[in-house]
Structures are given as structure tokens and as C-alpha cells.
Amino acid sequence: MRIATITNFAYIATVVLTLSSGIALFMASNAERAEREAIAHSRVFDALSDELEKEAFALTDLVREAVIKQRPEDIQAWRQKLQQDIKLEDQLIRLRDRKATTEEVLILRDGIKMLDTLEDEQQAAIAAVEAGNAREAVELVFGQQYEEQLDQAEYRFNHFRSLTDQRTDKAVAEATALSQKLRTLSEIMVGLTALLFLFVLGFIIKHRILRPVVTLSDVVNRLASQDYAVETPVLAQVDEIGDMAQAIHIFRENGLARQRLEQERDAEWACRTLLARMSQRLQGCDSHSAIIRVVSRFAPQIIPEMGGRLYILDTQKNRMKCSARWLLPPGDETTFPPESCWALKRGQLHCPSRDTVDMPCEHLPPEIAIRAICVPLIAQNKTIGLLTFDNAAEKEPPYAYLELMAETIALALANQMLRDTLTEKATHDPLTGLRNRHNLDETLRALVEQAMANNSCLSCLMLDIDYFKKLNDNYGHEAGDKVLREVARILQETAGENGIAFRYGGEEFLIILPDTTEAAARTLAEQLLRNVLAHRIFYESQDLGQVSVSIGLATWPQHARATNLIRAADLALYMAKEQGRGQIVIARNVGTPSL
């Protein structure tokens, strides 16, 4: 018997089993439909009976109000409500033959009959009211008999709903059991189909594949060793051998495809690993320069097919400034406003070549903009920077990893900005922008150690604004704050990069001058005196007059030991103020200090 014959028999049996399984599933579906219909009928009965019961109580409330208040509008409201109640009764009566049992119909009929009796008594009460016999009307609607009839009607409707719920639960249980049996039968047939298929496959492998496959053994062995470069032989005969050759050819193609997928998976895994490693390194960065170095190191490895740039937003100038570049030739790296980039305007990745028609970014040359990819760096709903990539190969880029990289870098930059801000607030005076005394001791100790190592000098200027209290009293504290800010700015501009300025406290300032001799420090102090005196300070268009400072100068190691350099400068400042202010006093020499 040929393999094709065996296969045909197996196919017929499979079709029969599949059809049987489908029929069983269809019957299970019908059982579920019956279950849903039973539930729907029960909901209709429950809803109508509940609404009718509520209407009966509402009608009772209206007739009682009409009997007590005897107002025409109350009687009219009762009549309108009575018409609604009658309509509901008719609607419920029309639905009573929808698969309701005889007992349910009888109880429903009794309930409606009791409601009719109550309506008759209500009409009699209304008639008594209209005839002027209010006492009789009250006895009719407030009497014991009326209350008992109302309770009986409520009991009938509750009993009716209970019976319908019991019938529905029973129908649902029966339908569920039938559906479960049919589904089990369907699963058994599917299992038989699978067993039949496995049996036929085993039979073919065990009894029919012998010598004909020898001609393909070498190809199979090489394919088994994942040597997908082997060429499969083309066999022209139309039989099982030809089919096997075709199957081996397909297997080879699938192997090549799987090999490509594995390579892509390995590349994707490597990319994820690099992204995770970059994220870890970014968490350890303590400065913007460290973040830029990490990005410059990892970005070319994560996306090796595309060169790119990292821009950071200069918030003061509102310009995007290039901070890093990779895999790109030297080119134009001018700054540009955020409005020139569609990614920054839209707040999401922008790639003109991704869609049929789109707008290129204006900050890139036209020949690059059409294939470029821009990814905004956004953290905490704030734009921080931008990543741009040049997709010169015009391959499908990994957009998800580009966005993930951008999110990681943006978060690192945002955290660093937050740390810088907190450090700035902790170490700098908020009014003048100068350093405060938070890390003065540590800074001075480090500078003294540096001076000792380099065998150089270290000078210190202690400054005090003359008559500052009088200025505050005459012009106010806001004017005084303006003077403090202006003097602090003059100190920074005069000292430049050679000195470190501090706000020591109140109107006192301190400048530490590394690698500065006494003579050079005195020259700088004289320049400070001149610059402060020459600067006119205005507050709200009012000239505050000339402002002068007194300066005390001390140099290590001539005037003080390492531990009391500031103390020596402070004493010199005290002498300058005692001698008339607006002058410079140099501390006394104490010889070579012993540390």
C-alpha cells in the first residue's frame, strides 16, 4: 500500500472526526444559547414584576396623599399613575406565556388580581373624597384590610420572582451540564484526530522510509549540523522521494530564516544588555560630563549602523547645543532653537522617511533631514535635549530601542540637573549666588594642602560693606539686598577664575586666592576698592550713593597658620574698620607657621 493511500484514509478519518467535533461544538453553543435565553426571560419577568410592585406602592402613596390633602392636583396625579400601572399590568400579562410554568402564571394572576382589588378600593376612596366623605376614604386606604391586601400582593410578586429564579437556575444548570458534556466529547474527538495523525506519521517513518532516503542522507546530516549553506538536490520524480526532497528544501529555507532570526535575536539581546549596562553606568555618573562620556561610549555600540549626536538644551539661551557625537564625520554642529525640530515640537520620535510624506527638520541639512531620526529627551514633562541619528544605510531602525535609549539618557540628565540644583542650593547663597559657608572649611583645607604640596602661597580677603546697617535703615532691606547682589557681582567679576568668592555672613564676604602672593592679593584688593566705589547702584530709580568696602588681607604662611588664616583676615578687617573704613589692612606677620 502506497503512502498516499494510507494518507488518504487518515485524511478521511480526520475529516470525519473534525466534523463530529464541530457538530459537538455547535450543539454546545446551542446549549449555551438556551442558557442565555433562560436568563434573559428571567430578567424580563423580574424587571416587570419589580417595576409593577414599585408602581403599586407609589400609587398607594399618591392615593393616601390625595385622601389626606384633598387637592385636585393630587387626585389627577393618582389617575395618571393608575393609567401607567394598568399599562404595566397589561404588559406583564402579555409576557406570562413566555416559558412560564402553570404555578408561576397562577401566582402572577393572583398578584395582578390583588392589585386590581387595591385599585378598586383606591377608586372608591377617591370617589368618597370627591363626594365629601373624607372619613370613609381614609378608612378605605389606611385600613387594616388594605394593608393586608398590599402585603399579600407584595408576597405574590416576591413568590413569583422566586419561582422564576429557581426555574432559571435549573435551566442554566441543565444547559451548562449539556454544554460541558458536548465540549468534552469535542475534545475527545480532537485528541483522537491528533492520535491518528501521530499514528500515521509513526507508521510512515517506521515502515515506509528506508533506502530511498539514502540519497538525501548527506544533505540531512549537514542540515542537522546546521550547515544551511548546503544545496539540496532537485529530484524530478513525483512520489514520496520527491516530496521528501521538497520538504528538505523547505527545511533548509526555514533553517536559513531561523538562523537569521537567531542572529537578530542575539543582536537584540546584545542591544538590551548594552542598554541595561549604559543605564547602570548613567546611574553612577555624578556630572554632566560623565553622562556625556557614557553616552559617547555606549551609543555607537547599541546602534552601530547609525551615527548620531546628543544635544542638551541651554535653558538660558533657549538653544540646543551639541554635547557629543559618534560615528559621524566632522560637520556643522551649530546651535539651533527647539522650534526647528519637529520631534521637540511634537514631543515624540520624528522620522520623515518612516511615512510616505512628512516634514523634515529645519536644523539639519536637507540631504540628511529626509533620512534622519530625531528623538526628544523628555523627563518629568520637561524637554532636556535631543538625540539625532543619520540613517545613511536607510535600513529599518530599532525605533523602540532609540526611544528607550532616549528615555534612559533623559532620566539621567534630569536626575543630574536635580542633583546640581540641590547642590547649588546647599552650597550657594540664594541672594548673591556666591558660595556659602557650607563647605568653606573643606575647601580651605584642600587649598592649603595644595599650597603645601606646590610650595606656593594662599591669600584670603575678608570684605565688609561700610555702613550697611545705615543704608538698610535709610532705604529699606530690599535696597540693601540690591547692594549685596551688586557687590557680590563685582567681587566675582574682579576675582575672575583665580579666586573663590563666599558670602561669609550678613554684609561680609570672603575671597580665597590660591597660588597668590601678598603683593598680588593687595593689587586685587585695591582693584576691588576702586570697582566698588566707581559703581553706582540704583534702586527703583533712586541713587543709593557711593558704596565702599573695608578689606582685611592675610596670606599663608606669612600671616597665619593653616587653621587660622580666615581668623587673621578677619582681624585685619576689624583693624580696617577701626581705622576709618574704605581701606585695606594687611595682617601682621607671624613667621613661618608650624602645622
Side-chain angles (χ1 to χ4, degrees), residues 148-366:
E148 292 177 355
Q149 290 177 348
L150 189 61
D151 292 339
Q152 286 296 323
E154 181 183 6
Y155 170 75
R156 293 296 190 279
F157 282 111
N158 288 337
H159 191 191
F160 170 74
R161 284 194 292 270
S162 175
L163 290 177
T164 55
D165 290 343
Q166 292 176 7
R167 175 171 52 82
T168 301
D169 292 342
K170 182 178 179 181
V172 168
E174 292 175 353
T176 302
L178 179 59
S179 175
Q180 184 64 37
K181 291 179 181 178
L182 293 173
R183 288 185 179 277
T184 303
L185 179 61
S186 174
E187 292 172 357
I188 291 174
M189 292 180 180
V190 171
L192 291 175
T193 304
L195 290 175
L196 180 61
F197 173 77
L198 293 175
F199 170 76
V200 173
L201 183 61
F203 179 82
I204 293 173
I205 293 175
K206 184 176 181 180
H207 298 283
R208 297 297 182 179
I209 301 177
L210 296 173
R211 292 183 180 179
V213 297
V214 174
T215 55
L216 300 173
S217 60
D218 182 55
V219 175
V220 172
N221 289 332
R222 294 181 62 180
L223 290 176
S225 62
Q226 297 186 355
D227 181 11
Y228 298 110
V230 61
E231 292 294 334
T232 56
V234 178
L235 301 177
Q237 59 268 36
V238 183
D239 56 9
E240 287 79 2
I241 301 302
D243 295 339
M244 185 179 294
Q246 180 65 20
I248 292 174
H249 175 73
I250 295 174
F251 179 77
R252 175 179 175 271
E253 294 297 325
N254 291 338
L256 290 173
R258 184 171 62 252
Q259 204 171 50
R260 289 192 297 270
L261 290 175
E262 290 177 352
Q263 292 173 354
E264 294 175 359
R265 182 196 62 192
D266 293 342
E268 182 178 354
W269 181 255
C271 185
R272 290 183 180 181
T273 303
L274 287 172
L275 275 172
R277 190 177 302 160
M278 183 183 75
S279 178
Q280 294 173 353
R281 301 303 179 269
L282 288 174
Q283 292 176 5
C285 293
D286 56 358
S287 64
H288 276 80
S289 59
I291 293 175
I292 292 170
R293 288 196 300 271
V294 171
V295 174
S296 301
R297 177 71 173 176
F298 280 89
Q301 306 300 324
I302 296 173
I303 312 293
E305 301 86 1
M306 296 186 295
R309 290 185 178 89
L310 168 64
Y311 292 88
I312 296 179
L313 176 63
D314 185 346
T315 55
Q316 295 181 348
K317 300 180 179 179
N318 195 32
R319 307 282 292 184
M320 304 301 298
K321 182 179 179 182
C322 182
S323 301
R325 57 180 294 144
W326 56 89
L327 302 179
L328 288 177
D332 185 17
E333 295 180 354
T334 58
T335 61
F336 62 89
E339 295 78 15
S340 300
C341 180
W342 282 97
L344 295 175
K345 291 193 290 186
R346 297 169 59 218
Q348 60 185 11
L349 184 146
H350 182 72
C351 178
S353 61
R354 190 175 185 179
D355 300 313
T356 305
V357 179
D358 208 336
M359 296 296 297
C361 290
E362 300 174 3
H363 63 91
L364 295 170

Side-chain angles (χ1 to χ4, degrees), residues 506-522:
E507 67 272 19
E508 290 186 335
F509 298 91
L510 178 70
I511 300 178
I512 299 178
L513 301 169
D515 197 20
T516 303
T517 63
E518 176 187 334
R522 181 179 181 84

